[in-house]
Amino acid sequence: MRFVSYLRDGKVRHGRLEDDETIAELGDGDLQALVERGLPNHDGPQRTVPLGAVELRAPLQRPGKLLAAAANYQDHVTETGGDPLDKTRLSPRLFLKPPTSIVGPGAVIPLPEVSHEIDWEAELAVVIGRPARNVAADDALEYVAGYMASNDVSARSMDYGFERDTDDKAVWFFDWLAGKWCDGFAPLGPWLLSADEAGDPQAIPVRLDVNGVTKQHGSTKDMIFTVAELIAHASRLMTLEPGDVILTGTPSGVGAATGEYLRAGDEMTVDLGPLGTLRNTVA
């Protein structure tokens, strides 16, 4: 089943896509409460509304945690100058993005003043469906509510507004984490596909176009750490709760590999097959 959050009559609501044109409205607010109750949901709709009459928003707008995996595709690691990784000798690399970075399909992403090297990263997003702590990888997919398309927008350089002191390197460093935190840097959507319909999360195509030109074309089968392994690892570090989101890394084709970055007016299109197409422009 496909679930969406949207704006109708000035209020955020959520519902189930009955087809490509109709939403069965299920309640107020985004999908958080529905995820907490458990997907799929067969409750009778309050009403049905045309998809074209509402404005889609991010399925989950304020998750308790928005985690992201860095360097989780071998071809992405090597395209940016890194050495091949041996997963038997390391653990997944996770970082946090703030909820203020989340926007929905069609939203305009503001180019930040702190960087002129804004990049794209098409990714599979995983939504946790029930509390998970110290789960085994073999059991981890049982804790998934569903999946979304996402874009881990990234600032590859940072300007903090002070002059570099070449004699004091301790106050100047390449802060790639801060480059992940800007407003609008985590587009999600257009819908949440329930785990029972998504099937194998390691068999999902990942594609990103900029202004109609394909930049990334890969598959989740090429992840270094699988979705199950990422969940298991994260659950060793913290309790994962319903509605938490994990971005699972990006394949090759990012702008940093060629020095090509986003400019005002560019449109990014993320296509993850059954998870839908996520479009955002930058301005």
Side-chain angles (χ1 to χ4, degrees):
M1 293 184 182
R2 297 175 296 170
F3 297 90
V4 291
S5 297
Y6 51 91
L7 190 67
R8 181 176 69 78
D9 297 334
K11 190 172 186 177
V12 175
R13 307 169 194 269
H14 65 270
R16 181 178 62 239
L17 274 179
E18 299 290 88
D19 49 44
D20 291 337
E21 298 181 355
T22 307
I23 298 172
E25 192 164 276
L26 297 175
D28 294 337
D30 69 2
L31 288 172
Q32 180 67 40
L34 193 62
V35 170
E36 290 176 355
R37 291 202 302 270
L39 297 178
N41 184 283
H42 299 284
D43 294 345
Q46 297 178 5
R47 60 181 291 178
T48 58
V49 296
L51 178 60
V54 303
E55 180 183 329
L56 291 182
R57 296 296 179 90
L60 292 157
Q61 299 179 17
R62 303 287 297 185
K65 292 184 282 296
L66 177 57
L67 293 165
N72 198 34
Y73 284 74
Q74 197 73 257
D75 57 1
H76 173 55
V77 172
T78 54
E79 75 168 342
T80 52
D83 295 325
L85 299 179
D86 178 0
K87 66 181 293 183
T88 66
R89 302 176 62 85
L90 75 159
S91 63
R93 305 172 184 179
L94 299 175
F95 60 92
L96 285 163
K97 291 174 77 85
T100 46
S101 65
I102 293 174
V103 292
V108 176
I109 300 170
L111 292 170
E113 295 182 357
V114 293
S115 177
H116 297 290
E117 297 181 356
I118 308 304
D119 204 349
W120 53 83
E121 290 190 10
E123 308 200 6
L124 170 67
V126 180
V127 178
I128 300 299
R130 57 191 180 99
R133 178 65 176 158
N134 287 324
V135 303
D138 287 346
D139 303 321
L141 295 185
E142 298 176 11
Y143 294 81
V144 176
Y147 303 93
M148 303 181 289
S150 67
N151 190 347
D152 180 17
V153 182
S154 307
R156 302 300 187 187
S157 64
M158 297 297 293
D159 178 1
Y160 292 101
F162 55 82
E163 195 169 322
R164 179 174 181 174
D165 184 351
T166 56
D167 295 326
D168 187 2
K169 291 183 173 57
V171 301
W172 187 269
F173 59 97
F174 177 58
D175 191 346
W176 68 273
L177 282 177
K180 301 284 190 174
W181 294 338
C182 296
D183 291 355
F185 273 24
L188 302 174
W191 55 68
L192 169 65
L193 182 64
S194 58
D196 62 319
E197 288 200 6
D200 182 2
Q202 305 308 143
I204 296 175
V206 180
R207 173 174 169 168
L208 181 141
D209 293 357
V210 178
N211 300 328
V213 178
T214 299
K215 301 297 183 182
Q216 294 184 280
H217 191 225
S219 170
T220 57
K221 69 179 176 59
D222 296 321
M223 287 181 184
I224 296 173
F225 294 98
T226 66
V227 169
E229 289 169 335
L230 291 174
I231 294 170
H233 176 71
S235 76
R236 294 180 62 197
L237 304 176
M238 68 197 85
T239 298
L240 299 175
E241 300 172 308
D244 285 352
V245 177
I246 304 175
L247 309 187
T248 56
T250 198
S252 63
V254 298
T258 61
E260 177 186 3
Y261 297 107
L262 294 167
R263 297 292 179 259
D266 286 347
E267 180 185 66
M268 295 179 288
T269 304
V270 176
D271 186 345
L272 266 68
L275 305 186
T277 301
L278 174 65
R279 290 186 176 88
N280 297 94
T281 57
V282 295

